């Protein structure tokens, strides 16, 4: 009984790492650029496919591929930013929403066209091994993805709170006009932040590839859950993303384990969490 | 040093500035007075690059800076303290101040020294250096805004309505600090509703109405001007 409980907790912890990685990028874009990036899930998908093809064609381990996956999406998002996002930043929010939604659909269908709709999986030696800690058994692959996620998030926090660039990013997030007036190059900071956010999505994609696989439609589920997480965290609140990811992953894991037929129900848990968060917020501020 | 000629600017189709001329000489203290909606704030926003002018020129030390981006204007040595202060609300006083020097390498190299100077100018901020900016009083926030602008070691300091919403005691402290800044050799362009006090402080002053300069002269002259007395001093 206790063993099952601990195993469920371990599963939740692993899953929350991927969620936090996928959501931090989204939270960064919302918090700094004030845009809701609906294409975030597709950026994740692009990262997964970059890692997949590097594994198939060049034999590069998908975990190692998080570097090229992040780099590809960092560069691609720079082009996307310069060509489109930059132009809607000052427009009403709906414009950015529609634009990124369109970018997402385009990327998804391009992926179907080029790669086909079949889900792809990679095979590595460590996917078949597991480590056992007392009653809990965890696959080596998921464990690695958790470690990578924690390391990357720690790195992101270190950059944001310990470096000059990070301070500039926070300044732009807190007051765009103020940032202009102290002479920060706001447009370049937006470009950089959007690049980091997109690279985080792509890296999360490579992690999902290792654990589950890649498919052109994989992004949608993740972006919906990432939205649930940043809503729970409070828009743009990066620290909140960590615990919100933990809450969502734990709720899903417990529904999956303890609710009869919970496998399907787990996928709807995020709706419930958004619902309760919003109701509670409006209750508190009413 | 700062020379504005025939400046026209506005927001979308609404034109606010109509062929405005204004100069600030090296080390000069210039006041710009006028009613709400005269275009004073728009003028400062245009000089600092937040708004692009539709015509006219802005020159700084002989070089044209019209339509440059705010980052370049700051790098040139023009600092703007906006009426809304525009602080970074979730950062400490000291972080706000350090960011003021961030974008100008010459200022960043001397940031520690400048920090000591602005803390001497505003001892209150020194006591509150680790306090979060959003939790400061209005007067203290105004002090942070001025101090942050000074951190870039500007040659021209443009200050928009620093007395707005402050207690009389705070107004005195802020004006005393501006006088000291001016005496240290920095040119000051001050926008004020507090006409009497700013005209006393300023060497020269402009009166702005409906987007144009309608009157100019020494602060003393304008204090005696019948138009100023009637429209702004309510004598």
């Amino acid at each position: 009984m206790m063993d099952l409980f601990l195993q469920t907790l371990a599963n939740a912890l692993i899953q929350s790492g991927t969620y936090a990685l996928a959501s931090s990028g989204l939270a960064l874009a919302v918090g700094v650029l004030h845009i809701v990036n609906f294409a975030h899930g597709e950026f994740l998908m692009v990262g997964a496919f970059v890692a997949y093809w590097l594994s198939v064609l060049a034999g590069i381990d998908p975990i190692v591929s998080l570097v090229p996956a992040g780099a590809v999406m960092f560069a691609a998002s720079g082009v996307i930013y310069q060509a489109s996002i930059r132009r809607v930043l000052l427009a009403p929010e709906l414009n950015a929403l529609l634009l990124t939604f369109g970018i997402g659909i385009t990327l998804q269908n391009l992926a179907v066209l080029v790669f086909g709709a079949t889900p792809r999986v990679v095979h590595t030696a460590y996917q078949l091994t597991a480590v056992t800690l007392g009653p809990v058994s965890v696959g080596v692959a998921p464990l690695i993805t958790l470690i990578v996620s924690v390391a990357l998030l720690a790195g992101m926090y270190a950059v944001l709170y310990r470096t000059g660039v990070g301070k500039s990013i926070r300044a732009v997030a807190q007051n765009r006009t103020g940032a202009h007036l102290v002479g920060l190059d706001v447009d370049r900071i937006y470009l950089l932040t959007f690049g980091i956010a997109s690279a985080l999505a792509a890296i999360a994609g490579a992690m999902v590839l290792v654990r589950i696989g890649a498919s052109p439609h994989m992004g949608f589920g993740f972006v919906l859950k990432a939205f649930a997480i940043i809503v729970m965290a409070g828009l743009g609140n990066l620290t909140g993303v960590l615990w919100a990811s933990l809450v969502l992953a734990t709720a899903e894991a417990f529904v999956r384990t303890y609710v009869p037929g919970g496998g399907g129900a787990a996928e709807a848990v995020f709706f419930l969490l958004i619902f309760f968060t919003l109701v509670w917020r409006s209750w508190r501020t009413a | 040093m700062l020379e504005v000629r025939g400046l026209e600017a506005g927001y979308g189709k609404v034109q606010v500035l109509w062929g405005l001329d204004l100069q600030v000489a090296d080390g000069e203290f210039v006041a710009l007075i006028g009613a709400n909606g005269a275009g004073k704030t728009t003028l400062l926003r245009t000089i600092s690059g937040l708004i692009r002018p539709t015509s006219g020129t802005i020159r700084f030390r002989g070089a044209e800076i019209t339509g440059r981006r705010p980052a370049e204007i700051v790098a040139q040595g023009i600092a703007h303290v906006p009426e809304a202060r525009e602080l970074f609300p979730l950062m400490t006083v000291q972080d706000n101040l350090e960011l003021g020097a961030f974008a100008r390498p010459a200022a960043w190299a001397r940031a520690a020294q400048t920090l000591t100077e602005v803390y001497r100018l505003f001892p209150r901020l020194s006591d509150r250096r680790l306090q979060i900016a959003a939790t400061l009083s209005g007067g203290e926030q105004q002090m942070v805004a001025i101090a942050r602008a000074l951190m870039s070691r500007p040659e021209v300091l443009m200050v928009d309505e620093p007395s707005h919403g402050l207690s009389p005691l705070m107004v005195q402290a802020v004006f005393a600090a501006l006088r000291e800044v001016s005496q240290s050799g920095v040119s000051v362009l001050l926008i004020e509703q507090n006409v009497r006090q700013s005209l006393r402080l300023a060497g020269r002053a402009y009166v702005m109405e409906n987007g144009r300069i309608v009157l100019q002269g020494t602060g003393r002259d304008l204090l005696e001007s019948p138009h100023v007395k009637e429209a702004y001093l309510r004598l």
Side-chain angles (χ1 to χ4, degrees), chain B residues 2 11 16 18 30 41 88 96 104 107 136 147 188 200 209:
Chain B
L2 181 68
Y11 303 90
V16 179
W18 299 83
V30 175
T41 297
F88 305 116
N96 267 278
R104 218 183 165 204
L136 298 173
V188 178
R200 278 195 193 128
E209 282 169 14

Side-chain angles (χ1 to χ4, degrees), chain A residues 152-178:
Chain A
L152 276 171
L153 290 171
M156 188 185 80
Y157 278 88
V159 168
L160 277 179
Y161 289 95
R162 295 274 178 272
T163 69
V165 175
K167 204 186 220 181
S168 309
I169 292 175
R170 284 185 293 132
V172 170
Q174 288 177 26
N175 189 337
R176 180 193 160 93
T177 308

